[in-house]
Amino acid sequence: MIFIQHAEIRTIANGTLQHASILLQDGKIKEIGSDLEPLAGAQVINGAGKVVTPGLIDVHTHLGIFEEAVGPAGVDVNELTNPATPHLRALDAINPHEQGFIDAVQAGVTTVQVMPGSGNVIGGEMVVLKTHGSVVDEMVLLSPSGLKIAFGENPKRVYGGKDKLPSTRMGIAAVLRENLVKAQNYRNKWEKAPADPEKLPERDLKMEILVKVLKREIPVRAHAHRADDIATALRIAEEFQFELTIEHCTEGHKIPQWISSKGVRVAVGPTMSNRSKIELGDKGWHTLTALADYDVPFSITTDHPVVPIETLITAAAYAVADGLDEELAWEAITLNAAKHLQVEDRVGSLEAGKDADVVIWNGDPLDFRTKVETTIIDGKVVYQR
């Protein structure tokens, strides 16, 4: 049981409280208010002069499957042997002891989505995790949290270099449609199958995950930088009626009204990276403000390790400096991010009943000089500066 008192508490969902307290009990947020008293036996933390926020959330990372300082042995992010690998599971390749998770908790990032890379048209399942633990199974918040697909230069480069389909944007769309149609046929076959177990169709792990997509049990998360790739992703989602989020959305500022009309959520970033390929030529913080103008719900991501996980708060600060409303910036790394991942009932804001994922800062978190003093996940201190 932890009691933080006399702090500035930014709840995200219900505004900011001054000189307030928060009680964490049994891994949950028990109470928040200005007139609370510590319970007997509680660990009391003096929050005077401190800022308390929810744990930060990065919706698009490769933590644990693209390890730092390891080299090829730690790169398990892309299975580049077939452009369609929906049956892969990021969960099976995550090393929870890699440095990136340590950096995350030290930077106040308490929840992440880990996904396969974008070398394949269909990359595989992703998972939402807390960022502290010894066994990845104990860190899982939601699994599977979506299916990764990719448009644009990455699949073109990988398979075009092998003289295989897809080597064009047409080919990428064709591979995706072909597999979705196979999944439709597979679903129909199972729905019409007799009850006799001996007469059931043979299971196909690739098709099973795609059937979950067609039944809208999990969303598809589409790597798409260019405006035309974003439009293709939206077109195919409407064609097959699956739930979609746009990941990266680098040129989203070129078609914000179109994106808004489709009612999808987007993850923007890693804007702090360099312009390493043609798809990133027009990247900038203006994407966020353009999406905001059309009420497109967005999150901010580092795409770790493309940009290190500890810069998530820095990206939000840069966005505010470039004109993004500060409240929207905070939501983009907390509550909107939780909604993007469909875990807002557990994390993303400081509210009674939610998970006790809390960060104590020694000043304004959007000031580059500010440090994380304490990170708490599920009511346990996992980092103390």
Side-chain angles (χ1 to χ4, degrees):
M1 186 164 47
I2 298 174
F3 187 80
I4 307 167
Q5 60 183 359
H6 310 312
E8 176 184 319
I9 299 179
R10 301 186 182 181
T11 69
I12 307 300
N14 299 299
T16 298
L17 305 176
Q18 300 294 339
H19 309 293
S21 303
I22 181 169
L23 174 63
L24 313 178
Q25 186 176 16
D26 299 326
K28 300 291 183 180
I29 299 170
K30 184 70 173 177
E31 289 184 280
I32 306 172
S34 299
D35 55 357
L36 304 181
E37 295 293 332
L39 300 180
Q43 175 188 350
V44 178
I45 297 176
N46 183 9
K50 315 296 183 186
V51 176
V52 176
T53 72
L56 307 185
I57 301 172
D58 195 331
V59 301
H60 184 120
T61 80
H62 308 290
L63 268 173
I65 62 172
F66 197 154
E67 300 180 50
E68 297 182 84
V70 175
V75 179
D76 288 307
V77 70
N78 278 306
E79 178 65 45
L80 301 178
T81 52
N82 189 305
T85 56
H87 55 319
L88 300 184
R89 301 179 185 182
L91 182 68
D92 294 329
I94 295 170
N95 176 9
H97 301 281
E98 80 117 336
Q99 182 65 39
F101 284 103
I102 298 170
D103 294 342
V105 297
Q106 292 181 357
V109 181
T110 58
T111 299
V112 294
Q113 183 170 233
V114 180
M115 61 182 67
S118 52
N120 290 347
V121 178
I122 306 176
E125 292 183 12
M126 49 194 71
V127 59
V128 176
L129 305 172
K130 298 295 182 75
T131 53
H132 180 78
S134 297
V135 179
V136 69
D137 304 70
E138 297 176 342
M139 300 159 64
V140 171
L141 188 57
L142 180 63
S143 178
S145 57
L147 179 70
K148 175 70 175 288
I149 66 172
F151 294 88
E153 297 303 318
N154 286 6
K156 278 180 58 180
R157 171 180 49 81
V158 170
Y159 291 96
K162 299 177 180 180
D163 293 324
K164 292 178 62 177
L165 181 72
S167 61
T168 65
R169 282 178 163 80
M170 293 184 296
I172 291 169
V175 167
L176 180 56
R177 284 192 175 97
E178 179 182 30
N179 281 273
L180 288 168
V181 168
K182 286 180 180 178
Q184 288 177 330
N185 294 336
Y186 180 80
R187 177 184 181 180
N188 291 337
K189 187 182 297 184
W190 271 86
E191 288 178 347
K192 295 176 181 178
D196 186 349
E198 295 185 359
K199 296 182 180 179
L200 290 176
E202 185 176 346
R203 287 183 62 190
D204 185 328
L205 293 179
K206 289 184 176 183
M207 294 301 105
E208 285 183 5
I209 186 68
L210 289 173
V211 167
K212 288 184 179 181
V213 165
L214 294 173
K215 294 169 72 173
R216 299 178 69 88
E217 293 177 3
I218 62 170
V220 170
R221 306 196 186 276
H223 166 110
H225 287 283
R226 269 177 31 175
D228 55 340
D229 289 328
I230 295 169
T232 299
L234 293 168
R235 184 182 314 119
I236 296 176
E238 287 189 346
E239 184 178 336
F240 289 90
Q241 293 296 298
F242 57 75
E243 186 178 355
L244 179 73
T245 67
I246 301 296
E247 308 291 316
H248 303 305
C249 202
T250 303
E251 292 187 356
H253 57 277
K254 295 183 177 181
I255 53 169
Q257 189 171 9
W258 185 253
I259 296 171
S260 179
S261 73
K262 302 303 180 181
V264 299
R265 292 185 173 274
V266 305
V268 180
T271 313
M272 290 178 62
S273 70
N274 66 356
R275 294 176 176 85
S276 58
K277 53 186 176 180
I278 192 169
E279 294 172 312
L280 305 180
D282 198 20
K283 76 172 184 67
W285 306 110
H286 53 284
T287 300
L288 295 169
T289 53
L291 293 172
D293 287 343
Y294 284 90
D295 297 320
V296 176
F298 59 82
S299 304
I300 294 173
T301 179
T302 64
D303 196 13
H304 177 94
V306 177
V307 173
I309 189 76
E310 61 266 30
T311 64
L312 182 60
I313 190 68
T314 310
Y318 271 122
V320 171
D322 208 57
L324 182 65
D325 177 78
E326 185 169 332
E327 183 177 338
L328 286 178
W330 268 108
E331 290 176 354
I333 55 174
T334 56
L335 189 53
N336 252 351
K339 291 176 180 178
H340 187 96
L341 301 180
Q342 301 179 337
V343 292
E344 69 271 20
D345 61 323
R346 296 278 302 275
V347 296
S349 60
L350 299 179
E351 299 179 79
K354 285 194 172 184
D355 292 1
D357 294 355
V358 178
V359 183
I360 304 174
W361 310 75
N362 67 359
D364 180 358
L366 297 184
D367 185 326
F368 296 144
R369 298 168 295 181
T370 296
K371 299 290 186 182
V372 171
E373 291 211 338
T374 307
T375 302
I376 300 167
I377 296 179
D378 293 328
K380 297 179 182 178
V381 174
V382 297
Y383 170 69
Q384 183 71 55
R385 182 167 173 261

